[in-house]
Amino acid sequence: HGSPLSLDPYVERALRRRAPRGAIVAEDVAAVERFVGVLFCRVIQTHFNTFVRDVGACERCGTTHALERAHRAGCERPQLLRHAISLVARPHPASNGIEVDAGSLHAAFLRLHRDDAAGRRLLVLCHACHRAYDAENKDTPFREGSAAMAP
């Protein structure tokens, strides 16, 4: 089934929207991830609803019901979020931790969703195919050091 539709225009549109403001001061990358993880799940849901509608069908089975955004194996949301945090985190000497600008994090996270040499980082799958895809690919390593991961 598969769709040739690129995610890049949707990422660019999301980057033009108003970004969150403020700073997050935390002990380390994992602490920032715990703090913003659920919010950044919603970022994907909010910014890429139009993409799901435009693809219009499960890219595995073709159904048009219960469609979800699925991160491609090796590019899962938590991995992308950790990488985005590591890109924008700065030392915060007063706390011996790190400081992350919320707007910069938001932008880096969205940029990491751009297409790469392997294709789109988000797939559109129905609920059943999404669960099957995740189970099949649960041990796929994250390719953090690749040039494709640069924002």
Side-chain angles (χ1 to χ4, degrees):
H1 289 272
S3 170
L5 195 60
S6 171
L7 192 61
D8 289 356
Y10 299 87
V11 171
E12 297 311 315
R13 189 176 312 131
L15 286 166
R16 288 192 298 270
R17 291 184 179 168
R18 187 170 158 217
R21 294 183 182 172
I24 302 157
V25 176
E27 175 181 314
D28 55 21
V29 169
V32 176
E33 183 184 7
R34 284 190 302 275
F35 182 72
V36 301
V38 172
L39 298 173
F40 277 75
C41 181
R42 290 194 187 113
V43 164
I44 297 305
Q45 292 169 346
T46 301
H47 288 303
F48 300 119
N49 280 334
T50 305
F51 171 72
V52 172
R53 188 189 71 230
D54 290 349
V55 172
C58 176
E59 295 183 84
R60 279 188 138 188
C61 73
T63 188
T64 58
H65 301 290
L67 298 177
E68 301 177 354
R69 296 146 216 81
H71 281 84
R72 191 182 76 218
C75 300
E76 286 84 7
R77 182 182 43 80
Q79 296 167 327
L80 294 176
L81 179 56
R82 267 190 297 281
H83 189 62
I85 295 166
S86 70
L87 289 172
V88 301
R90 301 285 174 254
H92 188 263
S95 69
N96 272 345
I98 59 172
E99 181 175 1
V100 174
D101 176 76
S104 297
L105 176 59
H106 185 258
F109 181 68
L110 287 170
R111 285 186 185 107
L112 288 173
H113 283 80
R114 289 179 176 148
D115 300 347
D116 65 9
R120 275 197 339 253
R121 294 178 191 263
L122 276 184
L123 307 172
V124 175
L125 301 174
C126 68
H127 182 77
C129 288
H130 188 175
R131 298 300 160 259
Y133 180 82
D134 284 351
E136 293 162 11
N137 295 290
K138 66 180 177 186
D139 296 322
T140 302
F142 182 50
R143 294 182 309 276
E144 187 172 20
S146 75
M149 289 302 298

